[in-house]
Amino acid sequence: MTADVIEIAFVVPASGPSGIYGPSCQASGRFAAIEINEAGGILGREVRLRTVDGGQSPGRVASEVGALVDAGLVDAVTGWHTSAVRETLAPRLRGRVPYVYTAVYEGGERSPGVFLTGETPTDQLLPAMRWMSAEMGIRSWAIVGNDYVWPRASARYARSYAEHVGAEIRDEIFTPLGTEDFGQVLRRVERARVQGVLMFLLGSDAVRFNRAFTEMRLHDHCIRLSPLMDENMLLATGAANTHELYSAAGYFETLGTGYGLDFERRYLETIGPTAPALASPGESCYEGITLLAQLAAAAGSTDVPRLSTVADRVAYEGPRGAVRVRDQHLVQRIYLARADGLEFDVLAEIHGGA
């Protein structure tokens, strides 16, 4: 590592159920580094990404990234990976370098030096459930999620939110990462006689669930709502299996705002026409590197205490529009969208940011 380079451990999935997000994350991260370097880098230093496979076990990721920090080989950490990885990695870093976590997650992270761009249940799940109750009359839900921290914590929020929107949670089912057969799960959903399923499933697991959901004809009378459903997952799911499938997020490729359209134009010009789809997990990686640059510019340093002091004064405009930092989290607008074949049709803004 040299004084004129800022090395960033870029932790994104290349394996496991979330590996489907990897190409988009890689391309968007590379795009962010190119744009920042063309503008002079971070504090005049060239940005270089050192990729770590975030799809490995949490312990292995934490050991690999921790060793890089111990050896002084990286100045910061960012990327999209699961909350299980984050919960293992953050204590390993101990606030020695800034860590910008970009995935949608369950909320509540307050570790020193950790900054978060992802949507949380209060701003994403609650307004989505409220909108669906008011506009679609969805009053009964089953929860289907992978068995780790984000789905289980999100399910707890969903139970409390149900009371506020006049709905009920009739069943909760959690499956191991990498589940291939959802037959028994879907039979439980069918027996619960619900109007909707809250999906807290990762990548390829969600794809298999969606296909099986259609095979059992549950889409004829039951909708699906996922806080994590991107264009890559739609493509893998297949247009025939996306009927009445909804998602809530801070970014959709089809959103159509001036910020989003300009971002897509620059992305395609830089990465090329064969670039991976501009999906929410990938865009979050662009957002994470951008936020790191904004924090460093405001602090004049990448020192964690100085970044923490100035963080709540940081605001900028990016692919998600005007955003700002509050309590280590990115405050942003959230939208609800319905799958229309292999694209999303954005229906409403359900959270206005601040």
Side-chain angles (χ1 to χ4, degrees):
M1 187 167 65
T2 62
D4 59 350
V5 173
I6 180 166
E7 294 272 358
I8 300 174
F10 188 47
V11 187
V12 294
S15 59
S18 56
I20 192 172
Y21 312 127
S24 181
C25 290
Q26 289 277 10
S28 295
R30 183 159 58 92
F31 174 46
I34 289 171
E35 285 207 326
I36 290 170
N37 287 334
E38 288 178 347
I42 293 180
L43 302 176
R45 298 164 64 189
E46 178 190 356
V47 173
R48 291 184 188 169
L49 303 181
R50 186 183 292 243
T51 302
V52 175
D53 179 8
Q56 303 174 99
S57 70
R60 186 166 182 175
V61 175
S63 294
E64 188 171 339
V65 177
L68 292 172
V69 174
D70 293 346
L73 295 176
V74 296
D75 303 279
V77 179
T78 190
W80 194 104
H81 38 275
T82 69
S83 287
V85 171
R86 187 198 76 254
E87 287 196 334
T88 306
L89 178 55
R92 182 71 169 79
L93 298 178
R94 302 192 306 277
R96 290 175 292 163
V97 297
Y99 173 22
V100 184
Y101 180 69
T102 76
V104 54
Y105 91 113
E106 66 280 358
E109 177 65 74
R110 291 292 186 273
S111 300
V114 180
F115 305 92
L116 307 104
T117 71
E119 304 89 338
T120 60
T122 302
D123 299 332
Q124 181 190 33
L125 183 59
L126 172 58
M129 291 176 67
R130 181 185 290 126
W131 191 94
M132 290 190 147
S133 177
E135 301 295 329
M136 300 176 65
I138 305 299
R139 304 293 170 82
S140 58
W141 296 93
I143 291 171
V144 178
N146 288 123
D147 192 6
Y148 74 101
V149 59
W150 170 63
R152 285 194 173 274
S154 296
R156 290 195 295 271
Y157 281 108
R159 287 197 299 272
S160 65
Y161 295 159
E163 299 178 10
H164 296 289
V165 302
E168 62 175 326
I169 307 296
R170 292 185 180 172
D171 200 359
E172 297 180 33
I173 311 160
F174 297 96
T175 67
L177 285 165
T179 294
E180 295 190 3
D181 183 357
F182 283 94
Q184 290 186 357
V185 171
L186 289 168
R187 284 189 284 275
R188 278 181 60 174
V189 171
E190 191 171 39
R191 288 195 297 270
R193 302 181 66 83
V194 293
Q195 296 170 291
V197 173
L198 291 172
M199 292 174 53
F200 303 115
L201 293 167
L202 276 186
S204 56
D205 286 19
V207 168
R208 285 188 286 268
F209 177 84
N210 285 330
R211 292 173 179 171
F213 194 89
T214 301
E215 287 176 7
M216 289 187 63
R217 305 295 303 178
L218 293 183
H219 64 288
D220 288 339
H221 54 82
C222 187
I223 70 157
R224 288 157 287 170
L225 171 63
S226 172
L228 178 58
M229 181 63 58
D230 77 341
E231 289 80 359
N232 291 302
M233 295 164 71
L234 289 186
L235 184 63
T237 293
N241 302 311
T242 62
H243 181 70
E244 290 300 298
L245 173 60
Y246 296 78
S247 184
Y251 175 83
F252 291 99
E253 184 180 14
T254 55
L255 183 57
T257 64
Y259 301 106
L261 291 171
D262 184 58
F263 174 61
E264 183 174 13
R265 175 188 59 79
R266 300 191 330 265
Y267 173 80
L268 291 175
E269 286 178 354
T270 302
I271 305 301
T274 60
L278 262 179
S280 180
E283 186 279 335
S284 80
C285 292
Y286 178 95
E287 203 77 50
I289 298 169
T290 299
L291 177 56
L292 177 64
Q294 293 284 337
L295 289 166
S301 170
T302 58
D303 179 67
V304 166
R306 292 179 66 176
L307 294 178
S308 300
T309 298
V310 304
D312 281 1
R313 300 200 296 270
V314 169
Y316 62 94
E317 294 179 347
R320 306 183 194 187
V323 298
R324 68 182 184 88
V325 178
R326 182 175 66 203
D327 296 332
Q328 300 174 231
H329 291 72
L330 198 69
V331 180
Q332 59 192 291
R333 298 177 185 274
I334 306 293
Y335 303 89
L336 182 71
R338 178 178 56 215
D340 181 8
L342 301 180
E343 293 185 334
F344 282 108
D345 178 18
V346 178
L347 303 176
E349 179 184 319
I350 56 174
H351 176 70

